[in-house]
Amino acid sequence: MRYLTSPSHDIRTNLAIETYLMAHADLSEPILYFYINSPCIIVGRYQNVLAEINQAYVEQQKIILTRRTSGGGAVFDDLGNVSFSFITKDDGDGFGNFKRFTAPVLKALHAMGATGAEMSGRNDLLIDGKKFSGNAMHVENGRMFSHGTLMYDVDQTQIAKALNVPADKMASKGIKSVRSRVTNLRPYLAPEYQHLTIEGFRDRLAREILGVSDLIAAKRYPLDDAARAGVAALNAKYFKNWDWIYGESPAFEIQHRRHFTAGTVDFRLHIASGRIADLTVYGDFFGAQPVQTVLTALKGVKYTRAAVTAALADLDLSQYFGQIDHEALIELIVAQGETQK
């Protein structure tokens, strides 16, 4: 088995490296690939982004958001997490066989003192009944990868803020994440492994999995200029591409309703491919002009705060909704909080 660590903390680049290796690497031997990410959210291939994340919080905290090519649910990563990936040929006994790829990881964790770590259900790793790792797979053209997270010292307060979207009137056909109790591995490890840097934790895991006393002895898989160019191309096409991240979301319906002093406004939106495909508005507000002008301006617009703000910038919304603040109306359209009545 050959070994590679990513030089980047950007999840988009790290996923692009993985995707490139699966498609182009010499897989005469499997590759063990580790990467560490700055704060980010990775949604599954078939998920609705806006149904999974707290968009306002993600934007405020500058949390990187992307979509991976594998299925499964949304996860939050930061610099307290190590992600691993086994990249290999598809021999017919790999896809769906999470036990095969998590077994060496569990063996390494047991050796480091986390003897209670175990696989549970289809694709999760648990300890003391709490999840510390989610795993997913992707197969294509006779090649595959199986990758997963390992929460060593993740800021768990951020998980709930970034991923738990408050209740709203959203009807989505996307695959929803299953929220589980989560924990970090650090307190379950032997004392000598509880104060490692995240790189130290990664390297110790790698030595255990590869069966070497020093990573100098590990067979490395280098990234050459062709690989770096390929990674950049994949980043542009997928992992940094708005249409891939948001546009791949399944269609959904959403209702945002709020009572203002000047009247109630009730927006009903149909979002498809990340854009406002259709919308209507109801309410008892008083406007001098018909609201169809506003609705027309919003059709086809990306369902983001910036895009909605730009689409309505040249309109005097008081002409259509009366004495309701312009910014408050934009906030209502893109809000993720609970519908107000």
Side-chain angles (χ1 to χ4, degrees), residues 172-206:
S172 172
K173 295 181 180 180
I175 296 173
K176 292 184 172 64
S177 297
V178 178
R179 306 298 179 209
S180 306
R181 289 193 305 159
V182 298
T183 189
N184 284 315
L185 280 165
R186 172 179 272 183
Y188 295 96
L189 298 173
E192 62 266 34
Y193 303 120
Q194 290 186 6
H195 303 286
L196 298 172
T197 64
I198 195 63
E199 293 82 7
F201 175 61
R202 174 200 65 197
D203 292 350
R204 182 66 199 186
L205 276 169

PDB file of all heavy atoms in Angstrom, residues 172-206:
ATOM      1  N   SER A 172     -38.538  18.888   0.802  1.00  0.00           N
ATOM      2  CA  SER A 172     -37.413  18.565  -0.075  1.00  0.00           C
ATOM      3  C   SER A 172     -37.393  17.082  -0.378  1.00  0.00           C
ATOM      4  O   SER A 172     -37.700  16.256   0.477  1.00  0.00           O
ATOM      5  CB  SER A 172     -36.093  18.971   0.585  1.00  0.00           C
ATOM      6  OG  SER A 172     -35.001  18.494  -0.166  1.00  0.00           O
ATOM      7  N   LYS A 173     -37.005  16.742  -1.605  1.00  0.00           N
ATOM      8  CA  LYS A 173     -36.878  15.346  -2.005  1.00  0.00           C
ATOM      9  C   LYS A 173     -35.450  14.836  -1.858  1.00  0.00           C
ATOM     10  O   LYS A 173     -35.153  13.707  -2.213  1.00  0.00           O
ATOM     11  CB  LYS A 173     -37.346  15.184  -3.453  1.00  0.00           C
ATOM     12  CG  LYS A 173     -38.828  15.476  -3.626  1.00  0.00           C
ATOM     13  CD  LYS A 173     -39.269  15.275  -5.058  1.00  0.00           C
ATOM     14  CE  LYS A 173     -40.750  15.579  -5.222  1.00  0.00           C
ATOM     15  NZ  LYS A 173     -41.207  15.398  -6.621  1.00  0.00           N
ATOM     16  N   GLY A 174     -34.551  15.656  -1.366  1.00  0.00           N
ATOM     17  CA  GLY A 174     -33.171  15.227  -1.196  1.00  0.00           C
ATOM     18  C   GLY A 174     -33.042  14.232  -0.046  1.00  0.00           C
ATOM     19  O   GLY A 174     -33.884  14.147   0.835  1.00  0.00           O
ATOM     20  N   ILE A 175     -31.954  13.479  -0.058  1.00  0.00           N
ATOM     21  CA  ILE A 175     -31.666  12.538   1.016  1.00  0.00           C
ATOM     22  C   ILE A 175     -31.213  13.321   2.246  1.00  0.00           C
ATOM     23  O   ILE A 175     -30.251  14.082   2.189  1.00  0.00           O
ATOM     24  CB  ILE A 175     -30.587  11.539   0.583  1.00  0.00           C
ATOM     25  CG1 ILE A 175     -31.107  10.697  -0.588  1.00  0.00           C
ATOM     26  CG2 ILE A 175     -30.171  10.650   1.749  1.00  0.00           C
ATOM     27  CD1 ILE A 175     -30.068   9.807  -1.200  1.00  0.00           C
ATOM     28  N   LYS A 176     -31.907  13.145   3.347  1.00  0.00           N
ATOM     29  CA  LYS A 176     -31.606  13.922   4.548  1.00  0.00           C
ATOM     30  C   LYS A 176     -30.595  13.200   5.426  1.00  0.00           C
ATOM     31  O   LYS A 176     -30.557  11.980   5.498  1.00  0.00           O
ATOM     32  CB  LYS A 176     -32.887  14.195   5.347  1.00  0.00           C
ATOM     33  CG  LYS A 176     -33.857  15.137   4.635  1.00  0.00           C
ATOM     34  CD  LYS A 176     -35.050  15.434   5.509  1.00  0.00           C
ATOM     35  CE  LYS A 176     -35.927  16.513   4.890  1.00  0.00           C
ATOM     36  NZ  LYS A 176     -36.526  16.105   3.630  1.00  0.00           N
ATOM     37  N   SER A 177     -29.777  14.001   6.119  1.00  0.00           N
ATOM     38  CA  SER A 177     -28.827  13.440   7.063  1.00  0.00           C
ATOM     39  C   SER A 177     -29.553  12.927   8.295  1.00  0.00           C
ATOM     40  O   SER A 177     -30.609  13.434   8.672  1.00  0.00           O
ATOM     41  CB  SER A 177     -27.810  14.508   7.492  1.00  0.00           C
ATOM     42  OG  SER A 177     -27.053  14.960   6.411  1.00  0.00           O
ATOM     43  N   VAL A 178     -28.980  11.915   8.908  1.00  0.00           N
ATOM     44  CA  VAL A 178     -29.491  11.407  10.174  1.00  0.00           C
ATOM     45  C   VAL A 178     -28.574  11.924  11.272  1.00  0.00           C
ATOM     46  O   VAL A 178     -27.392  11.588  11.321  1.00  0.00           O
ATOM     47  CB  VAL A 178     -29.522   9.871  10.190  1.00  0.00           C
ATOM     48  CG1 VAL A 178     -30.009   9.368  11.541  1.00  0.00           C
ATOM     49  CG2 VAL A 178     -30.413   9.345   9.070  1.00  0.00           C
ATOM     50  N   ARG A 179     -29.098  12.791  12.126  1.00  0.00           N
ATOM     51  CA  ARG A 179     -28.286  13.363  13.187  1.00  0.00           C
ATOM     52  C   ARG A 179     -28.058  12.333  14.290  1.00  0.00           C
ATOM     53  O   ARG A 179     -28.975  11.659  14.734  1.00  0.00           O
ATOM     54  CB  ARG A 179     -28.964  14.598  13.770  1.00  0.00           C
ATOM     55  CG  ARG A 179     -29.332  15.646  12.721  1.00  0.00           C
ATOM     56  CD  ARG A 179     -28.105  16.186  12.008  1.00  0.00           C
ATOM     57  NE  ARG A 179     -28.496  17.159  11.003  1.00  0.00           N
ATOM     58  CZ  ARG A 179     -27.821  17.390   9.900  1.00  0.00           C
ATOM     59  NH1 ARG A 179     -26.721  16.713   9.650  1.00  0.00           N
ATOM     60  NH2 ARG A 179     -28.225  18.288   9.035  1.00  0.00           N
ATOM     61  N   SER A 180     -26.830  12.202  14.719  1.00  0.00           N
ATOM     62  CA  SER A 180     -26.477  11.237  15.756  1.00  0.00           C
ATOM     63  C   SER A 180     -25.699  11.948  16.858  1.00  0.00           C
ATOM     64  O   SER A 180     -25.147  13.030  16.654  1.00  0.00           O
ATOM     65  CB  SER A 180     -25.605  10.118  15.172  1.00  0.00           C
ATOM     66  OG  SER A 180     -26.205   9.510  14.063  1.00  0.00           O
ATOM     67  N   ARG A 181     -25.683  11.331  18.020  1.00  0.00           N
ATOM     68  CA  ARG A 181     -24.803  11.839  19.073  1.00  0.00           C
ATOM     69  C   ARG A 181     -23.364  11.623  18.635  1.00  0.00           C
ATOM     70  O   ARG A 181     -23.000  10.537  18.168  1.00  0.00           O
ATOM     71  CB  ARG A 181     -25.063  11.104  20.380  1.00  0.00           C
ATOM     72  CG  ARG A 181     -26.381  11.456  21.040  1.00  0.00           C
ATOM     73  CD  ARG A 181     -26.424  10.933  22.463  1.00  0.00           C
ATOM     74  NE  ARG A 181     -26.153   9.505  22.512  1.00  0.00           N
ATOM     75  CZ  ARG A 181     -25.730   8.864  23.598  1.00  0.00           C
ATOM     76  NH1 ARG A 181     -25.499   9.526  24.712  1.00  0.00           N
ATOM     77  NH2 ARG A 181     -25.518   7.560  23.573  1.00  0.00           N
ATOM     78  N   VAL A 182     -22.546  12.625  18.772  1.00  0.00           N
ATOM     79  CA  VAL A 182     -21.170  12.529  18.310  1.00  0.00           C
ATOM     80  C   VAL A 182     -20.209  12.760  19.467  1.00  0.00           C
ATOM     81  O   VAL A 182     -20.563  13.327  20.499  1.00  0.00           O
ATOM     82  CB  VAL A 182     -20.877  13.530  17.177  1.00  0.00           C
ATOM     83  CG1 VAL A 182     -21.751  13.250  15.960  1.00  0.00           C
ATOM     84  CG2 VAL A 182     -21.070  14.969  17.647  1.00  0.00           C
ATOM     85  N   THR A 183     -18.963  12.328  19.259  1.00  0.00           N
ATOM     86  CA  THR A 183     -17.935  12.521  20.276  1.00  0.00           C
ATOM     87  C   THR A 183     -16.576  12.598  19.620  1.00  0.00           C
ATOM     88  O   THR A 183     -16.393  12.162  18.474  1.00  0.00           O
ATOM     89  CB  THR A 183     -17.948  11.359  21.295  1.00  0.00           C
ATOM     90  OG1 THR A 183     -17.065  11.675  22.394  1.00  0.00           O
ATOM     91  CG2 THR A 183     -17.481  10.057  20.654  1.00  0.00           C
ATOM     92  N   ASN A 184     -15.642  13.153  20.336  1.00  0.00           N
ATOM     93  CA  ASN A 184     -14.251  13.141  19.906  1.00  0.00           C
ATOM     94  C   ASN A 184     -13.545  11.905  20.456  1.00  0.00           C
ATOM     95  O   ASN A 184     -13.897  11.380  21.520  1.00  0.00           O
ATOM     96  CB  ASN A 184     -13.522  14.393  20.397  1.00  0.00           C
ATOM     97  CG  ASN A 184     -13.888  15.621  19.589  1.00  0.00           C
ATOM     98  OD1 ASN A 184     -13.936  15.575  18.365  1.00  0.00           O
ATOM     99  ND2 ASN A 184     -14.145  16.737  20.270  1.00  0.00           N
ATOM    100  N   LEU A 185     -12.531  11.458  19.731  1.00  0.00           N
ATOM    101  CA  LEU A 185     -11.766  10.277  20.131  1.00  0.00           C
ATOM    102  C   LEU A 185     -10.760  10.561  21.242  1.00  0.00           C
ATOM    103  O   LEU A 185     -10.388   9.652  22.003  1.00  0.00           O
ATOM    104  CB  LEU A 185     -11.008   9.718  18.919  1.00  0.00           C
ATOM    105  CG  LEU A 185     -11.805   8.857  17.952  1.00  0.00           C
ATOM    106  CD1 LEU A 185     -11.038   8.707  16.640  1.00  0.00           C
ATOM    107  CD2 LEU A 185     -12.080   7.489  18.568  1.00  0.00           C
ATOM    108  N   ARG A 186     -10.300  11.777  21.324  1.00  0.00           N
ATOM    109  CA  ARG A 186      -9.171  12.091  22.210  1.00  0.00           C
ATOM    110  C   ARG A 186      -9.314  11.507  23.616  1.00  0.00           C
ATOM    111  O   ARG A 186      -8.389  10.833  24.105  1.00  0.00           O
ATOM    112  CB  ARG A 186      -8.977  13.605  22.273  1.00  0.00           C
ATOM    113  CG  ARG A 186      -7.948  14.038  23.312  1.00  0.00           C
ATOM    114  CD  ARG A 186      -7.758  15.529  23.321  1.00  0.00           C
ATOM    115  NE  ARG A 186      -6.730  15.925  22.364  1.00  0.00           N
ATOM    116  CZ  ARG A 186      -6.323  17.170  22.195  1.00  0.00           C
ATOM    117  NH1 ARG A 186      -6.879  18.149  22.882  1.00  0.00           N
ATOM    118  NH2 ARG A 186      -5.379  17.456  21.339  1.00  0.00           N
ATOM    119  N   PRO A 187     -10.429  11.685  24.323  1.00  0.00           N
ATOM    120  CA  PRO A 187     -10.488  11.168  25.705  1.00  0.00           C
ATOM    121  C   PRO A 187     -10.524   9.654  25.813  1.00  0.00           C
ATOM    122  O   PRO A 187     -10.322   9.106  26.912  1.00  0.00           O
ATOM    123  CB  PRO A 187     -11.784  11.783  26.248  1.00  0.00           C
ATOM    124  CG  PRO A 187     -12.601  12.100  25.040  1.00  0.00           C
ATOM    125  CD  PRO A 187     -11.620  12.469  23.978  1.00  0.00           C
ATOM    126  N   TYR A 188     -10.745   8.972  24.709  1.00  0.00           N
ATOM    127  CA  TYR A 188     -10.813   7.515  24.728  1.00  0.00           C
ATOM    128  C   TYR A 188      -9.468   6.861  24.400  1.00  0.00           C
ATOM    129  O   TYR A 188      -9.329   5.646  24.516  1.00  0.00           O
ATOM    130  CB  TYR A 188     -11.868   7.020  23.742  1.00  0.00           C
ATOM    131  CG  TYR A 188     -13.263   7.441  24.112  1.00  0.00           C
ATOM    132  CD1 TYR A 188     -13.836   8.581  23.547  1.00  0.00           C
ATOM    133  CD2 TYR A 188     -14.013   6.707  25.026  1.00  0.00           C
ATOM    134  CE1 TYR A 188     -15.119   8.970  23.880  1.00  0.00           C
ATOM    135  CE2 TYR A 188     -15.298   7.089  25.379  1.00  0.00           C
ATOM    136  CZ  TYR A 188     -15.848   8.229  24.801  1.00  0.00           C
ATOM    137  OH  TYR A 188     -17.122   8.619  25.141  1.00  0.00           O
ATOM    138  N   LEU A 189      -8.502   7.641  23.979  1.00  0.00           N
ATOM    139  CA  LEU A 189      -7.192   7.110  23.630  1.00  0.00           C
ATOM    140  C   LEU A 189      -6.321   6.952  24.880  1.00  0.00           C
ATOM    141  O   LEU A 189      -6.601   7.548  25.927  1.00  0.00           O
ATOM    142  CB  LEU A 189      -6.502   8.041  22.630  1.00  0.00           C
ATOM    143  CG  LEU A 189      -7.217   8.228  21.287  1.00  0.00           C
ATOM    144  CD1 LEU A 189      -6.519   9.304  20.471  1.00  0.00           C
ATOM    145  CD2 LEU A 189      -7.276   6.917  20.511  1.00  0.00           C
ATOM    146  N   ALA A 190      -5.284   6.159  24.772  1.00  0.00           N
ATOM    147  CA  ALA A 190      -4.328   6.018  25.866  1.00  0.00           C
ATOM    148  C   ALA A 190      -3.711   7.393  26.165  1.00  0.00           C
ATOM    149  O   ALA A 190      -3.611   8.244  25.275  1.00  0.00           O
ATOM    150  CB  ALA A 190      -3.249   5.015  25.485  1.00  0.00           C
ATOM    151  N   PRO A 191      -3.301   7.645  27.406  1.00  0.00           N
ATOM    152  CA  PRO A 191      -2.811   8.972  27.789  1.00  0.00           C
ATOM    153  C   PRO A 191      -1.730   9.527  26.871  1.00  0.00           C
ATOM    154  O   PRO A 191      -1.705  10.735  26.608  1.00  0.00           O
ATOM    155  CB  PRO A 191      -2.271   8.746  29.209  1.00  0.00           C
ATOM    156  CG  PRO A 191      -3.102   7.620  29.737  1.00  0.00           C
ATOM    157  CD  PRO A 191      -3.350   6.724  28.564  1.00  0.00           C
ATOM    158  N   GLU A 192      -0.858   8.681  26.371  1.00  0.00           N
ATOM    159  CA  GLU A 192       0.235   9.181  25.525  1.00  0.00           C
ATOM    160  C   GLU A 192      -0.250   9.691  24.167  1.00  0.00           C
ATOM    161  O   GLU A 192       0.506  10.335  23.436  1.00  0.00           O
ATOM    162  CB  GLU A 192       1.302   8.099  25.323  1.00  0.00           C
ATOM    163  CG  GLU A 192       0.820   6.843  24.626  1.00  0.00           C
ATOM    164  CD  GLU A 192       0.398   5.757  25.599  1.00  0.00           C
ATOM    165  OE1 GLU A 192      -0.130   6.104  26.674  1.00  0.00           O
ATOM    166  OE2 GLU A 192       0.610   4.570  25.275  1.00  0.00           O
ATOM    167  N   TYR A 193      -1.512   9.417  23.840  1.00  0.00           N
ATOM    168  CA  TYR A 193      -2.048   9.873  22.552  1.00  0.00           C
ATOM    169  C   TYR A 193      -3.106  10.972  22.709  1.00  0.00           C
ATOM    170  O   TYR A 193      -3.724  11.375  21.739  1.00  0.00           O
ATOM    171  CB  TYR A 193      -2.670   8.692  21.792  1.00  0.00           C
ATOM    172  CG  TYR A 193      -1.718   7.551  21.562  1.00  0.00           C
ATOM    173  CD1 TYR A 193      -1.983   6.286  22.068  1.00  0.00           C
ATOM    174  CD2 TYR A 193      -0.543   7.739  20.840  1.00  0.00           C
ATOM    175  CE1 TYR A 193      -1.112   5.234  21.870  1.00  0.00           C
ATOM    176  CE2 TYR A 193       0.342   6.690  20.634  1.00  0.00           C
ATOM    177  CZ  TYR A 193       0.055   5.446  21.159  1.00  0.00           C
ATOM    178  OH  TYR A 193       0.937   4.404  20.954  1.00  0.00           O
ATOM    179  N   GLN A 194      -3.286  11.460  23.925  1.00  0.00           N
ATOM    180  CA  GLN A 194      -4.347  12.442  24.168  1.00  0.00           C
ATOM    181  C   GLN A 194      -3.889  13.882  23.982  1.00  0.00           C
ATOM    182  O   GLN A 194      -4.717  14.801  24.067  1.00  0.00           O
ATOM    183  CB  GLN A 194      -4.922  12.253  25.573  1.00  0.00           C
ATOM    184  CG  GLN A 194      -5.723  10.979  25.731  1.00  0.00           C
ATOM    185  CD  GLN A 194      -6.396  10.879  27.082  1.00  0.00           C
ATOM    186  OE1 GLN A 194      -6.370  11.808  27.889  1.00  0.00           O
ATOM    187  NE2 GLN A 194      -7.010   9.726  27.360  1.00  0.00           N
ATOM    188  N   HIS A 195      -2.617  14.080  23.739  1.00  0.00           N
ATOM    189  CA  HIS A 195      -2.116  15.454  23.600  1.00  0.00           C
ATOM    190  C   HIS A 195      -1.335  15.634  22.301  1.00  0.00           C
ATOM    191  O   HIS A 195      -0.473  16.506  22.200  1.00  0.00           O
ATOM    192  CB  HIS A 195      -1.249  15.819  24.811  1.00  0.00           C
ATOM    193  CG  HIS A 195      -1.975  15.660  26.123  1.00  0.00           C
ATOM    194  ND1 HIS A 195      -2.946  16.548  26.539  1.00  0.00           N
ATOM    195  CD2 HIS A 195      -1.904  14.694  27.082  1.00  0.00           C
ATOM    196  CE1 HIS A 195      -3.434  16.149  27.707  1.00  0.00           C
ATOM    197  NE2 HIS A 195      -2.816  15.035  28.054  1.00  0.00           N
ATOM    198  N   LEU A 196      -1.664  14.832  21.332  1.00  0.00           N
ATOM    199  CA  LEU A 196      -1.006  14.945  20.032  1.00  0.00           C
ATOM    200  C   LEU A 196      -1.547  16.147  19.257  1.00  0.00           C
ATOM    201  O   LEU A 196      -2.687  16.568  19.449  1.00  0.00           O
ATOM    202  CB  LEU A 196      -1.251  13.679  19.209  1.00  0.00           C
ATOM    203  CG  LEU A 196      -0.715  12.349  19.753  1.00  0.00           C
ATOM    204  CD1 LEU A 196      -1.231  11.202  18.900  1.00  0.00           C
ATOM    205  CD2 LEU A 196       0.803  12.364  19.781  1.00  0.00           C
ATOM    206  N   THR A 197      -0.729  16.690  18.383  1.00  0.00           N
ATOM    207  CA  THR A 197      -1.270  17.611  17.387  1.00  0.00           C
ATOM    208  C   THR A 197      -2.111  16.789  16.421  1.00  0.00           C
ATOM    209  O   THR A 197      -2.039  15.559  16.385  1.00  0.00           O
ATOM    210  CB  THR A 197      -0.150  18.316  16.610  1.00  0.00           C
ATOM    211  OG1 THR A 197       0.584  17.321  15.873  1.00  0.00           O
ATOM    212  CG2 THR A 197       0.797  19.057  17.551  1.00  0.00           C
ATOM    213  N   ILE A 198      -2.916  17.455  15.610  1.00  0.00           N
ATOM    214  CA  ILE A 198      -3.731  16.711  14.661  1.00  0.00           C
ATOM    215  C   ILE A 198      -2.851  15.988  13.640  1.00  0.00           C
ATOM    216  O   ILE A 198      -3.151  14.870  13.212  1.00  0.00           O
ATOM    217  CB  ILE A 198      -4.756  17.640  13.961  1.00  0.00           C
ATOM    218  CG1 ILE A 198      -5.836  16.809  13.251  1.00  0.00           C
ATOM    219  CG2 ILE A 198      -4.071  18.619  13.032  1.00  0.00           C
ATOM    220  CD1 ILE A 198      -6.683  15.973  14.178  1.00  0.00           C
ATOM    221  N   GLU A 199      -1.718  16.588  13.313  1.00  0.00           N
ATOM    222  CA  GLU A 199      -0.766  15.925  12.413  1.00  0.00           C
ATOM    223  C   GLU A 199      -0.128  14.723  13.091  1.00  0.00           C
ATOM    224  O   GLU A 199       0.115  13.685  12.454  1.00  0.00           O
ATOM    225  CB  GLU A 199       0.301  16.905  11.946  1.00  0.00           C
ATOM    226  CG  GLU A 199      -0.207  18.020  11.052  1.00  0.00           C
ATOM    227  CD  GLU A 199      -0.825  19.173  11.816  1.00  0.00           C
ATOM    228  OE1 GLU A 199      -0.741  19.179  13.078  1.00  0.00           O
ATOM    229  OE2 GLU A 199      -1.403  20.069  11.175  1.00  0.00           O
ATOM    230  N   GLY A 200       0.135  14.862  14.384  1.00  0.00           N
ATOM    231  CA  GLY A 200       0.703  13.744  15.127  1.00  0.00           C
ATOM    232  C   GLY A 200      -0.265  12.570  15.209  1.00  0.00           C
ATOM    233  O   GLY A 200       0.130  11.407  15.096  1.00  0.00           O
ATOM    234  N   PHE A 201      -1.542  12.882  15.411  1.00  0.00           N
ATOM    235  CA  PHE A 201      -2.564  11.840  15.426  1.00  0.00           C
ATOM    236  C   PHE A 201      -2.651  11.156  14.065  1.00  0.00           C
ATOM    237  O   PHE A 201      -2.686   9.919  13.978  1.00  0.00           O
ATOM    238  CB  PHE A 201      -3.909  12.468  15.800  1.00  0.00           C
ATOM    239  CG  PHE A 201      -5.082  11.523  15.734  1.00  0.00           C
ATOM    240  CD1 PHE A 201      -5.129  10.393  16.528  1.00  0.00           C
ATOM    241  CD2 PHE A 201      -6.136  11.790  14.881  1.00  0.00           C
ATOM    242  CE1 PHE A 201      -6.223   9.524  16.464  1.00  0.00           C
ATOM    243  CE2 PHE A 201      -7.227  10.935  14.806  1.00  0.00           C
ATOM    244  CZ  PHE A 201      -7.276   9.801  15.606  1.00  0.00           C
ATOM    245  N   ARG A 202      -2.661  11.940  13.010  1.00  0.00           N
ATOM    246  CA  ARG A 202      -2.693  11.386  11.652  1.00  0.00           C
ATOM    247  C   ARG A 202      -1.500  10.466  11.404  1.00  0.00           C
ATOM    248  O   ARG A 202      -1.654   9.351  10.893  1.00  0.00           O
ATOM    249  CB  ARG A 202      -2.677  12.531  10.638  1.00  0.00           C
ATOM    250  CG  ARG A 202      -2.561  12.103   9.180  1.00  0.00           C
ATOM    251  CD  ARG A 202      -2.075  13.264   8.325  1.00  0.00           C
ATOM    252  NE  ARG A 202      -0.716  13.665   8.691  1.00  0.00           N
ATOM    253  CZ  ARG A 202      -0.164  14.830   8.356  1.00  0.00           C
ATOM    254  NH1 ARG A 202      -0.847  15.719   7.649  1.00  0.00           N
ATOM    255  NH2 ARG A 202       1.087  15.118   8.736  1.00  0.00           N
ATOM    256  N   ASP A 203      -0.318  10.926  11.764  1.00  0.00           N
ATOM    257  CA  ASP A 203       0.889  10.148  11.480  1.00  0.00           C
ATOM    258  C   ASP A 203       0.936   8.855  12.294  1.00  0.00           C
ATOM    259  O   ASP A 203       1.406   7.820  11.801  1.00  0.00           O
ATOM    260  CB  ASP A 203       2.134  10.998  11.750  1.00  0.00           C
ATOM    261  CG  ASP A 203       2.279  12.148  10.759  1.00  0.00           C
ATOM    262  OD1 ASP A 203       1.533  12.164   9.756  1.00  0.00           O
ATOM    263  OD2 ASP A 203       3.121  13.032  11.003  1.00  0.00           O
ATOM    264  N   ARG A 204       0.443   8.923  13.530  1.00  0.00           N
ATOM    265  CA  ARG A 204       0.417   7.707  14.338  1.00  0.00           C
ATOM    266  C   ARG A 204      -0.544   6.686  13.715  1.00  0.00           C
ATOM    267  O   ARG A 204      -0.243   5.484  13.640  1.00  0.00           O
ATOM    268  CB  ARG A 204       0.000   8.037  15.768  1.00  0.00           C
ATOM    269  CG  ARG A 204      -0.006   6.817  16.687  1.00  0.00           C
ATOM    270  CD  ARG A 204       1.400   6.290  16.877  1.00  0.00           C
ATOM    271  NE  ARG A 204       1.389   4.906  17.363  1.00  0.00           N
ATOM    272  CZ  ARG A 204       2.477   4.243  17.715  1.00  0.00           C
ATOM    273  NH1 ARG A 204       3.666   4.828  17.648  1.00  0.00           N
ATOM    274  NH2 ARG A 204       2.397   2.995  18.133  1.00  0.00           N
ATOM    275  N   LEU A 205      -1.702   7.160  13.276  1.00  0.00           N
ATOM    276  CA  LEU A 205      -2.649   6.278  12.598  1.00  0.00           C
ATOM    277  C   LEU A 205      -2.017   5.640  11.364  1.00  0.00           C
ATOM    278  O   LEU A 205      -2.153   4.439  11.132  1.00  0.00           O
ATOM    279  CB  LEU A 205      -3.882   7.077  12.160  1.00  0.00           C
ATOM    280  CG  LEU A 205      -4.985   7.303  13.176  1.00  0.00           C
ATOM    281  CD1 LEU A 205      -5.968   8.325  12.633  1.00  0.00           C
ATOM    282  CD2 LEU A 205      -5.705   5.999  13.503  1.00  0.00           C
ATOM    283  N   ALA A 206      -1.339   6.468  10.587  1.00  0.00           N
ATOM    284  CA  ALA A 206      -0.719   5.976   9.360  1.00  0.00           C
ATOM    285  C   ALA A 206       0.309   4.895   9.656  1.00  0.00           C
ATOM    286  O   ALA A 206       0.364   3.869   8.967  1.00  0.00           O
ATOM    287  CB  ALA A 206      -0.072   7.134   8.607  1.00  0.00           C
TER     288      ALA A 206
END
